[in-house]
Amino acid sequence: MEHVVFKPEDEAPVDAYKLAMSLVVPRPIAWVATFNEDGSANLAPYALFSVVCTDPLMFQFTSRAPKDSYRNAKREGAFTVHIASVDDQPKVAATSKELPAGVSEADAVGMTWKKAPNVNAPMLDDVRVAVECEVHSFVEVETAILTIGKVKAIHTDSQIMAEDGMVDFAKLNPLSKLGRAQWGRTEDFV
């Protein structure tokens, strides 16, 4: 086997990013919702997302540079994470585009929402999973910012729950991100 060696310090940052994003796959999508200053719902997909710890339960999403989701979460002290399904892919892709200031991504793609009951952030109505998070901390790593939130409540569609109290993955049908403009779906279980 012959290897090609890439060293991040020898590559343009965008090239190192593209390579890493095509290697670490599939990545779950956090569809993060926050309130803009005018009270509208900001909605953005994040493929740099994960569980930080389980006791207490905390989630994180990472912005490669300060973005509205980070600024809004910092100002409001909260955000919600929604787990998008494969059926949501066109809307998830559309919410990744830059919109003019004052335009709500949630409204632009036809998503209905309300204020989350436990944190000061919007919560989408038409998704199978919504997680309410209270900001715990921010971690700056070079130009990136990790926004860490303590989970206050998890809302799941009763139709996706299995008898063992866990989610039925086939019914959740989660959307994932691969490299380039490619998306993934979970179809096989081992």
Side-chain angles (χ1 to χ4, degrees), residues 58-162:
M58 293 192 195
F59 284 6
Q60 73 84 22
F61 68 92
T62 302
S63 301
R64 292 187 294 136
K67 294 184 179 182
D68 290 341
S69 299
Y70 155 73
R71 286 189 285 272
N72 292 344
K74 187 172 186 176
R75 185 185 63 255
E76 301 296 333
F79 60 93
T80 54
V81 170
H82 304 86
I83 305 300
S85 72
V86 169
D87 298 337
D88 296 318
Q89 188 276 329
K91 291 179 179 181
V92 172
T95 58
S96 70
K97 308 273 190 277
E98 288 289 326
L99 294 179
V103 176
S104 166
E105 293 85 358
D107 295 341
V109 298
M111 299 297 290
T112 59
W113 58 273
K114 60 185 171 277
K115 183 193 173 294
N118 299 289
V119 300
N120 192 29
M123 189 168 84
L124 299 176
D125 292 321
D126 305 323
V127 294
R128 293 180 179 114
V129 176
V131 182
E132 297 181 74
C133 297
E134 180 180 83
V135 170
H136 175 272
S137 56
F138 302 97
V139 178
E140 294 184 27
V141 181
E142 301 295 330
T143 60
I145 300 170
L146 285 73
T147 300
I148 301 169
K150 183 176 182 181
V151 173
K152 302 305 279 184
I154 300 172
H155 306 258
T156 61
D157 177 351
S158 61
Q159 299 298 309
I160 68 167
M161 298 305 295

Side-chain angles (χ1 to χ4, degrees), residues 33-77:
T34 55
F35 279 127
N36 290 316
E37 282 190 84
D38 65 2
S40 63
N42 177 274
L43 183 60
Y46 283 86
L48 296 175
F49 155 72
S50 66
V51 174
V52 175
C53 63
T54 58
D55 189 16
L57 185 57
M58 293 192 195
F59 284 6
Q60 73 84 22
F61 68 92
T62 302
S63 301
R64 292 187 294 136
K67 294 184 179 182
D68 290 341
S69 299
Y70 155 73
R71 286 189 285 272
N72 292 344
K74 187 172 186 176
R75 185 185 63 255
E76 301 296 333

